[in-house]
Amino acid sequence: MRRQWSRRASLSASLKIGDHRGHCRTPEEEESYIPFAQDSLVRQWNSMQNVADGKQEKSQTPIQRNKYLLNINVGGKLFQIAYKVLARYPVTRLGKLALYTDPVKKLQLCDDYLVQKNEYFFDRDPSIFHYIFHFYRSGVLWVMDEMCPSNFVEEIEYWGIHLKYSQRCCRILLEEKRDELSEYLKIEKQLEAELEPLESGTQFDGKFLGPFRKMVWNLIENPYSSVPAKIIAVMSSFFVLISIVGMTLSTVEEMKNKTGKMWMEQMEMICAIFFTSEYLMRLISSSSFKNFLRAAFNAIDLVAILPFYIQILFENLDDGDMQYHEELHKVENVSKLGKVLKLIKLMRIFRILKLARHSTGLRAFSFTMRQCYQQVCCLLLFIAMGVFTFSALIHSVEHDVPGTDFTSIPCAWWWAAVSLSTVGYGDTVPDTILGRMVAFVCISFGIILNGMPISILYNKFSDYYAKLKAHEMSQSLQLSRRIRLKERVLRKFSECWGADPRYYR
């Protein structure tokens, strides 16, 4: 009975492997028959085998050299490919290996060569080489979804195979996965840089007062470096909130008396002193004055303290009948200098942006806006188009109605903007049936328009916030491990009472 040939699941279902008959074949048969990574040929491989071991193996299993097949060992798996098949692709690595006659050039293409077995060894991934092997047999490069795109591209570039040999569907999917992976790595890098300080402590080495400036820099810029740095960060957020509350209470009627004004001014002075000292400490500890002025957070700190000093300067220069504690809400009784002073006082509202320095949520929101600026710009463009379109429609329908508010297209802009946002104040409404139909279409368009980007922005914000929070928690955990407050308290307690600290753990 004829001995059956063994089969193996592979990329080519019709490929016969494991032929152990050992009969002689013609060159055409040798070209059509190629074993596919036989397990019997997978063994521990070393090019520096002993000659005695080689002789022993030779005596047990005679080696049959075949001038029509090229023996390739990829990561411990043996492949055999016909020279004529490799010669079809002369620009590839294996094609050059099959065409070169100079042994020196051949050794430059592989990692090692075993003379006894006539095998060329390549220290590459054998699982991906299965697809390379199938490419030489069929002329088509297949790409599987479960493979890492970067690793696959790196492997085919090593073997000198271009991606154009793959199918168009596989190539499109691979390029999409590569773009997604690169975008993911880019965002991860930007998220890590979002919480990292603009400067590092190593930049102070060899500079004037380097150790002192590094210590000040850690206190101000790195809240996870020590306990005092964390306290300063908490105090900064606390003074920002106190300043905003004070500015809000200064507009309350009950706080406009002499006592209330005095308390508000003292509170404003204390906050301004703290913000000024914080800004100066950052300026002193900065390694580059140019980079310090370019930083956005430093510009916010400067805007937070400038109104206080500009207000003092303007009030001292104002020699009119306006007193230092005179209210500025009566515009008709103040001078032009008082109007500028009122605008400067309003700039104190920007102090709330200082919270973004220590708030993970605000940083995540800012990062989301920067990453999704294209979607946001498209949303604003669609809103503007809707406002102009529906304001023109409602004006053309309602302008003949007596006593209508839609006397012109600019007058209808407010109604269109309110309707698109689905707020609907009701201060301006259409009177005709056709105008109400236009209003219904406008509101429906606003619902669809507002619903599309909200989910995208919210999902990205949630993702960025979770990643920033995890990075922040890892830094906080490192600080808590360095502090070990509980162990220190137990140790002090044991020293005072003479007890064993392990008893309280």
Side-chain angles (χ1 to χ4, degrees), residues 142-153:
W142 296 103
V143 183
M144 299 300 174
D145 293 337
E146 61 272 9
M147 292 188 302
C148 175
S150 300
N151 187 24
F152 182 77
V153 171

Side-chain angles (χ1 to χ4, degrees), residues 154-171:
E154 180 183 353
E155 288 292 327
I156 64 174
E157 288 179 354
Y158 172 80
W159 295 109
I161 300 175
H162 199 273
L163 197 61
K164 67 181 181 180
Y165 292 109
S166 62
Q167 296 291 334
R168 185 173 181 271
C169 57
C170 296
R171 186 165 60 251

